[in-house]
Amino acid sequence: MPGLKFNETLAWRAGKQIPVADLLRRLNALSKELQDMEQEENERQSFTTVAKELASPNLLAHKDKGVKALAASCLVDILRLCAPDAPYTGQQLRDIFNMMITQILPTLADPSNAYNNQHFYVLNSLAQVKSIVLLTDIPSSETLTRHLFQICFDVLSGSSKAAPGEEPQKNVEINMTQLLVCLVDESASLPPEVVDIIVAQFLRTDPRAMAGVSGKSKKNGIQVDEKQSLLVLRQLPPAYNMAKYICNACPEKMARYFSQYFNDVIVDASNSSVPKVTNKNKRRYSADLDDSEDDQAAGPTEEDLKELSKVHILLRELWRACPAVLQNVIPQLEAELSAENLQLRLLATETLGDIISGIGAAGPPSPPILDPAAYPPNGLSNAFDNTASLNILTKPSSPQPFSNAHPQAYSNYLGRRHDKSALIRSAWTTGIGRILTTSAGGAGMSQQEEDRLIDELSRMMGDADEKVRIAAVKVIGSFSFRDIVGKLGRSGGISESGSLLATLAERVRDRKHIVREAAMTLLGRIWGVAVGEIAAGNEQVTSLLRAAPSKILDTYYTNDHEIMVLLDRVLFEQLLPLSFPPVKTKSTRAVNGSSQSQGTVDKEADRVDPDKIRTERILLLLKSLDERAKKVFYAIQSRQLVLSKVVSAYLARCEDFNGGVMDENEGPIKEHLTRLIKSFAGSLPNSVQVSAELWRFAKMHDRRSYQLIRFCMAPESDYRTVQKAIKEFTKRITETASSSAASSNLLETLTPILYRISLILYNKSHVPAIMEYSKSDENSLAGVAQEILREISSRTPEVLKAHVQEICRSLQENAPSSKKSNDFGALDNLKACASFATRYPKEVPKDRKFVQAMTSYALFGSPPEAAKYAVSVSWAASDKKELLAKDLVQKCIKDFQYGGDGFLSRLATLSQLVLLAPEEVDDDSDAITAIAIKQVLLRARVSPEQPREAYEWSDTVDTDCLAKCWALKILTNRTRSHPTPETLSEVVTPVYSLLSTLVKTEGKLPSVSHTPPTHRPRLRLLAARSYLKLCTKKSLDGFLTADAFNSMALVAQDGEQPVRAGFMRRLKKYLGQQKLPQRFYTIPFLLAFEPSDELKGDTVTWIKSRAITLANLKAQQSGTTRASIVLESVFARLLSLLAHHPDYDSDARDLVDFARYIVFYLQSVATEENLSLIYHIAQRVKQCRDAVLPANAESAPVIDDHLYHLSDLAQLAIRKFEDLHNWTIQTLPAKVRLPGTLFSEVKSHNDAQRIAEKSYLPEGVEQGVEDLVRASMRTGRPGHGKKRKSEGDDLDGRDHKKAKGLPIRKPEKKKDRKSAAAKTPKSKTAKPREEEVSAEKRRSGRAKVFETSYVERDSEEDDEEMELMDVYEAKQEEGADQEADNHDAPLDEVDQMSITEEGRDQPQDEQEMEMEMETEAEAEAEEQEIRNDELSSSSAPSPPPPVKPSPKSQRKNKKKKENAHAPSPKAKPQQQQGKKKARVRGDQKSQPVAAAASKSRRKHATATRNGNVGRRHHDGDVFDAPTSPD
């Protein structure tokens, strides 16, 4: 066999070194010869000498790099040719590998090295021939192995510093990877340091990677180059790839190494968390893992937590790279889920969630951008793809489904939703969201599993802890719009109860503001992104998300200041962003010049009309709103009118204030400014801070800011002006705030105010587009366009100035005639024009053609309302009103024929003329009345097809019914506008008689044989509404008797829901506008049995809102201490109304039924402060007789008994209400008088004494009332259980299916007063003493009033005193300034508020009740005497003796004697405390009282009245403020 031909020496003796050139020549020749030789074709003995010389220290440690490079290439050939037995000793191999590892391999990082080929040859030979396995034969080779791994990874991690040369470097990576895989595969074990090095490579994808990774040796940590961040965004690091390949090539071995590695780190950290022994018995204290406790000795140290965190980050990346190596680690991680330590459980939960999601060390991908201001809006076709644009580091990737590989761990992970720690549940919720968004790291999930996780996410949104709820809301925000529709939408839309989106919508009313803010903002953003698909008619998106704006605007009813501010921000930043659409106008682009590319953009933008795009979005929003939300939408716009006047006054005072420097009127200016600031502070959260910021703004005296605010409010400002003004104002305030730390909250305070006063929606820029949509019906928006046009014309007609001529021209061109009808949109245009003409009559055209067009509308307009508005336009604009009125009247009444051309329009015209021009049409009033009564009302033209007693509502109205309604309006309007007070009675009496007949007979017309069943509900409703409209005038209210009022009030309990709703809607509107007397506040409390949850809930909300508004009226009064007791005073009227109720009966079950009215009142009105007054009023009712019926009436004694029954019933309910609320009824320092129109005096003192001592309640009532009050507390308590019922639920808590005995109460058609009179209350005669004792027990010892006679004073005395009181109060209020704090008023009243710069006019309602306050000296003296007597009183009190009439001078002595036997206020609660608690505990298990059996007189009740009373359930976390307005 041939041998080696090389025969030159490579060794030398000391002092006789071979020259470098010769040595290089020799080594080069040897290297070439060795490279050409094959392993089996050569004589191995010929390599002995060369091999020995190559291993000499002279060559291995030579200073020349070329010598070492060539020597290394020769050595690897020797190892190749002599394999498998190397011709070297162990020490020689150590030296050889040491030179190669430390000297040769590191130079591969520089491809430009002169000997790079030799270096790469060495690497390639070691890898391909696998000579590196000889390293394992070297004793104690751990250090060399560690250096090898360290250097290889260093070379690849530093490749970015090298010069261009991709292919060689890729070869280096491949060969080094093979080299290390071979070594790992052949090694019996790897040093721990090597495992640390391999593990550390997976942190190279983490931009937050720290210097050290290993928990045992920090010197082995890998420093990540800062420049590498540029690389990792494009591709994975080569060192990472090499480590990944090693792990996947040797999964079993690496799994063992990694298991040991993680076990060591976790065990070390866990040992540090073991509590120390601190007591003599050497017992360990158990670590309480609840977040609420902070045990410093029972958890890992901060250093341990850092190590644990890094280890768990590694686990995330290892799953993405090589999941097989974690087969022994996942069980350890699963065990951490049940660890005692909170931090370990949290880390395990977060890590497993990310592992399942395929999220690595670089963290989750950036969430998708949901930009509601983007244009064109993102649709499903061009929605942001959650995976397309992600870099390779953050792109979720799971090699295999985790649930299949580790089903037990996956199941245990899902079980963490029940963890006792909110932090764990919050982290679990975040993890579930990531699993859903990434589809389990791209591995895919079954639809069943996705639906399961979505249901779990929905449940977590109702968690008891706000941290979990906020995490769930944020998770939904991490979904792309496509996933929201495609994945989350599968469980149902926002309007479908129980779906995920519906649960998100419920969070907008959460108890915690942080959750409300996140949920409302996200919901608004989602709808803002979806508006493009909604506009395009996508049914799927529309059904899912259409209800979102309604849910958001519905939060207005909470009347919470924080929610109000949040609602403003969401409305103008998410739903209707100010910057939408982000399209520059032509004038703006011209400033920057133009280029070729810019010109293309300009042409494209010129085709886009921003105002039309924005208008379309406003109309889409309005179209998606339900009725409640629409009220809010319009109320917000109405609020702008109110607040703009207040802000104008504030700016004027700021200018007068002059930054604090004033020459004159300093006191009045500061005082007025103080009141204005106080009104603003009352409408915003943190009123103290708001006041300070508004004062700071006034002291800044920035005139430019004043002007910018005025630009926002001015009707002349277009949208662009308003937007730029808000932007500049924000910038100015921000700059001011940045320069002053004290002004940091100024912008936060002023921004909500700026949103509320700016003309953003009702802007003149939107009017042309609205008019265009109203005519073209593009995208089916004509209806809402006409609706909003009406609102603009009635609220802010100023913005129509530039367009009124166009509206009038359109009306003129489409005027109707006897042969031609007007177009579809004429009615809305006429209404808009009428509202505008009322305020700006000079702006309306007055030419002949326009007047003739209006006359044509008045005679032939369709529908008849068009004629009504045409008359208003003509009347406002005409300079010859008298001539116009007479001309129109003559044309209407001349040859009037029922059913003729335009006869309905003529009736509508007459109804408007008698209202606007009563004097001008007075000569023809008889003819008008004859037409209304004889030709329309009293003629039956419809044949009776149904029974006479039929009574049903129909949504369609026939011509005959319309004619009767307009005829009734003619009579009503004639009465309203009657100009002569002397003859007013002659006009009012027959009209009131007709209205009373319609109300009492359920819409039956007098002298008419048959009234169609579908006419009767509408006629009854119109009659009741006419009563309300007439009573808005004080002169006409006096004609409404108490009996007629009671009949009208029962319309609120009509058998048809539209009648009840229509009547209550109009009633609440007039009461909100302060147009009706106080007695009308009684009617809403008749809705205790209302089966419609919506109507009942809205009414409860409205009542509570009115309570707040009336309380604010008291607070705003200046210079008077008179109490505002409007709602408290109507309690006496309510008892009187119930006493006359046709369904009243005095048996126990019926009285409990009637107690629901009282409990409903208490729920809505009673507070701890006013309960004493309500109780006193209930007592006073028992001291009077009924005055509604004449004293000689046969049924008068029966009604008196009814009053006394109800008085005792009310006192009982109030005491139960007091006990269960832990309130205390206080003694009143005054006497309350009842209205003389309803109550009269008890002439005989003996009768008064007998009535007071007698108990009128039969047995069984007390328990039933107590159950009723308890049920009301359960339904009204915000924290009761997981869910609570709405305010509209049944008070007794009965099952719906068992509630058929609770009809809508209404007057019975055949109620016989005689039979009622013959019926007497049941009483126990066998035990009169027990009855007296029971009566005494029912009197509350804590609710005494000052002694007075039971005999009522003469009504003349009352009238005189009321007149004197009115005069005195008028003088007090004459100079009182009223503040304009109306921005949070209820929806039905905000648009009618009369605000001036100085304040709001007080209501003109009569005062039904007064309080005669004692002097301070008298009250103080009496109180001191009572306290002295109580200190010496006996501990065993006896009932107070009957009070006899006594002079006022003897009152003190009497009170002294009585209170000597009474317990002290402190002692009594202590004595009763145990009894109260026992009674409460005993009654907790008692069921609510059963429904009262239906009486025979209720058999005619309709299915609606006998229907089940629905309930609305809300999550326990839903924010439901008890004082929210309607």
Side-chain angles (χ1 to χ4, degrees), residues 82-245:
C82 297
D85 299 322
Y88 299 111
T89 62
Q91 184 59 41
Q92 288 176 327
L93 284 174
R94 179 187 297 276
D95 295 339
I96 291 171
F97 279 109
N98 183 62
M99 186 269 291
M100 292 181 182
I101 293 173
T102 60
Q103 303 294 323
I104 302 301
L105 295 183
T107 59
L108 290 171
D110 183 13
S112 61
N113 191 290
Y115 298 98
N116 186 64
N117 292 336
Q118 286 76 17
H119 299 158
F120 178 75
Y121 182 79
V122 173
L123 173 64
N124 181 265
S125 180
L126 291 175
Q128 298 299 327
V129 182
K130 299 184 180 181
S131 304
I132 193 65
V133 299
L134 295 173
L135 188 62
T136 60
D137 297 334
I138 302 175
S140 303
S141 61
E142 290 82 1
T143 303
L144 282 176
T145 303
R146 178 174 60 83
H147 283 310
L148 175 62
F149 277 84
Q150 183 78 55
I151 289 170
C152 287
F153 285 113
D154 285 347
V155 168
L156 295 187
S157 63
S159 60
S160 58
K161 301 179 182 179
E166 294 295 331
E167 189 64 26
Q169 291 303 313
K170 190 64 178 177
N171 290 337
V172 171
E173 178 184 345
I174 294 172
N175 284 276
M176 281 190 172
T177 302
Q178 293 180 352
L179 179 74
L180 298 184
V181 167
C182 180
L183 186 59
V184 171
D185 191 40
E186 295 295 335
S187 298
S189 64
L190 289 178
E193 294 83 356
V194 172
V195 178
D196 292 351
I197 294 171
I198 296 174
V199 167
Q201 308 313 310
F202 293 98
L203 280 179
R204 294 186 181 276
T205 58
D206 184 7
R208 303 158 298 179
M210 304 177 67
V213 177
S214 173
K216 300 180 180 180
S217 178
K218 292 186 180 293
K219 65 181 181 180
N220 295 331
I222 302 299
Q223 182 69 33
V224 178
D225 188 0
E226 295 180 359
K227 296 181 180 180
Q228 187 178 344
S229 60
L230 297 176
L231 173 64
V232 296
L233 293 177
R234 299 182 178 91
Q235 61 182 5
L236 290 171
Y240 175 94
N241 287 330
M242 184 164 66
K244 174 181 177 181
Y245 190 87

